[in-house]
Amino acid sequence: GAGVSQTPSNKVTEKGKYVELRCDPISGHTALYWYRQSLGQGPEFLIYFQGTGAADDSGLPNDRFFAVRPEGSVSTLKIQRTERGDSAVYLCASSSYLHTEAFFGQGTRLTVV
Amino acid sequence: LAKTTQPISMDSYEGQEVNITCSHNNIATNDYITWYQQFPSQGPRFIIQGYKTKVTNEVASLFIPADRKSSTLSLPRVSLSDTAVYYCLVGDPGSSNTGKLIFGQGTTLQVKP
């Protein structure tokens, strides 16, 4: 596609439920990043993939969060037993190489009620 | 923890040149300096990247002094559409062990008519 695509654009879920957020990176980009952004704050790093493997998952806040990228393209961020504090915009980005221009998607706004 | 410090907010008027300075006292030898722009409800967008001296593209200029402990993003003749949050980041493009971009709070630029 022309850019990074994230689905859904908005997700409202009940506390305790499981959610999946999808990211379609730019074709050919080997690096993929997930970030979380709360209102008034800069994006907060969650996890980084190089190809299929998670090269750095140090930003995942706890074991309720998990992300996969099984074929080195599409990635899914999975959140179990959602809590109200998980409410935020989840951003995905991809780049052709580390620290070159990263292209961000529009984000998924997650609201846990 | 962000490796950069920048003003929280700035105001300007249409047609003026805007300079946003970022401090990165602990910048490493291999680190590059990158600026991103973020509009409300959108993901950040790459503006410019540099290592030393001056870099210019169609959008902005980036000035980096010899000691590289700071950098200045210069936006010529801003318009209302330049109202956004601007983030300064430092990182090593050649690093193979992490790809995370570390965002601070950014500088909220408000352009007034």
Side-chain angles (χ1 to χ4, degrees):
Chain A
V4 177
S5 175
Q6 292 188 247
T7 54
S9 55
N10 281 283
K11 176 72 175 178
V12 180
T13 190
E14 292 181 346
K15 179 175 177 295
K17 298 290 188 182
Y18 167 84
V19 297
E20 289 189 352
L21 311 180
R22 177 187 168 106
C23 173
D24 279 271
I26 292 173
S27 178
H29 279 187
T30 57
L32 184 146
Y33 318 78
W34 282 99
Y35 290 82
R36 177 170 69 174
Q37 187 170 28
S38 300
L39 193 63
Q41 302 296 316
E44 173 193 5
F45 171 80
L46 295 177
I47 186 170
Y48 151 65
F49 287 89
Q50 183 63 254
T52 60
D56 186 342
D57 64 357
S58 61
L60 295 177
N62 51 60
D63 61 6
R64 294 187 298 106
F65 289 74
F66 190 70
V68 296
R69 194 186 186 200
E71 297 178 358
S73 178
V74 171
S75 177
T76 305
L77 179 66
K78 308 180 181 191
I79 310 174
Q80 298 178 321
R81 305 182 304 279
T82 52
E83 300 176 357
R84 292 195 178 89
D86 298 334
S87 297
V89 175
Y90 289 80
L91 293 163
C92 176
S94 70
S95 69
S96 58
Y97 192 64
L98 292 172
H99 289 295
T100 57
E101 179 177 355
F103 295 83
F104 283 79
Q106 299 274 66
T108 293
R109 181 175 298 279
L110 175 66
T111 303
V112 182
V113 298
Chain B
L1 193 65
K3 297 191 284 184
T4 61
T5 303
Q6 51 185 124
I8 295 294
S9 64
M10 293 182 69
D11 288 342
S12 182
Y13 291 92
E14 284 189 289
Q16 288 188 333
E17 177 184 79
V18 170
N19 296 307
I20 306 175
T21 297
C22 177
S23 297
H24 26 80
N25 291 316
N26 296 318
I27 190 169
T29 301
N30 295 330
D31 282 346
Y32 277 63
I33 299 149
T34 310
W35 286 80
Y36 281 82
Q37 173 192 56
Q38 187 175 27
F39 298 113
S41 301
Q42 294 188 25
R45 182 176 74 105
F46 173 93
I47 301 177
I48 197 165
Q49 184 180 73
Y51 183 80
K52 63 180 179 180
T53 63
K54 177 184 175 182
V55 180
T56 297
N57 61 23
E58 65 278 4
V59 176
S61 294
L62 179 59
F63 298 92
I64 306 168
D67 66 5
R68 304 198 330 119
K69 293 183 182 300
S70 67
S71 59
T72 299
L73 175 73
S74 181
L75 305 173
R77 299 182 58 78
V78 294
S79 64
L80 295 177
S81 63
D82 292 316
T83 293
V85 180
Y86 293 82
Y87 295 98
C88 167
L89 293 78
V90 296
D92 177 5
S95 173
S96 60
N97 60 358
T98 181
K100 56 185 165 186
L101 305 173
I102 302 176
F103 289 82
Q105 279 197 297
T107 298
T108 299
L109 173 66
Q110 180 71 51
V111 180
K112 303 176 182 178

